[in-house]
Amino acid sequence: MSRTMPLAHPFDDDKLKEECGIFGVVGVADAANFVALGLHALQHRGQEAGGIVVHDAEHGFNSARRMGYVRDNFTSAELLQTLPGNIGIGHVRYSTAGNKGQTAANSYKPAILDNGVRITVPPFIGTGEAIIVNTDTMEYSERA
């Protein structure tokens, strides 16, 4: 008769999950370039969408999110110049559940402006954070 032993720790049944890919660097000039190379190496982990976020002491946080392959989206010098910083992290997405397609790369959450107008903003925007809104369309434009 076979008996199963109880788990000694809640993570004992945790198994490697081979879906998305994440790559980060700290303390290198042009971190976005290194993150893009790292994501290219991890492209097999996710081919639906990807994104890079970097931080620079002078420019703050900057990000780029795109649908599709890393090689098609994160190799242009023009894009990488918009991502200054010496700290960066990137992600390639492999959908197993949840949003797929364009909503996976561009998920938004509801927000209410000081004047009571409801808009949607990216999930990284915090409460009380200053943003720029396109007053013609009443859509989020960028951080202030």
Side-chain angles (χ1 to χ4, degrees):
M1 178 158 97
S2 171
R3 287 182 22 161
T4 304
M5 296 291 294
L7 298 176
H9 190 276
F11 296 126
D12 281 350
D13 67 340
D14 193 24
K15 303 286 188 260
L16 179 65
K17 295 172 179 62
E18 299 180 15
E19 282 101 18
C20 300
I22 298 173
F23 187 86
V25 296
V26 176
V28 296
D30 299 322
N33 291 313
F34 287 92
V35 173
L37 289 171
L39 292 180
H40 184 74
L42 294 173
Q43 184 70 79
H44 66 284
R45 297 282 188 177
Q47 300 177 357
E48 182 176 336
I52 296 175
V53 176
V54 295
H55 183 267
D56 179 72
E58 185 177 328
H59 298 100
F61 286 98
N62 289 289
S63 67
R65 294 173 291 169
R66 302 287 189 275
M67 296 297 299
Y69 294 112
V70 172
R71 70 169 184 252
D72 297 336
N73 293 301
F74 298 106
T75 55
S76 83
E78 294 81 26
L79 174 69
L80 294 173
Q81 287 174 355
T82 67
L83 299 170
N86 63 352
I87 300 171
I89 190 166
H91 175 257
V92 288
R93 179 172 166 79
Y94 173 81
S95 296
T96 56
N99 294 332
K100 296 180 190 270
Q102 190 64 25
T103 56
N106 293 317
S107 58
Y108 288 85
K109 65 181 182 179
I112 300 174
L113 302 178
D114 290 343
N115 61 2
V117 173
R118 293 177 183 267
I119 65 167
T120 57
V121 297
F124 55 81
I125 300 296
T127 302
E129 189 169 347
I131 61 172
I132 297 172
V133 175
N134 180 328
T135 56
D136 292 332
T137 62
M138 292 310 293
E139 293 179 348
Y140 167 83
S141 179
E142 63 185 288
R143 283 184 162 154

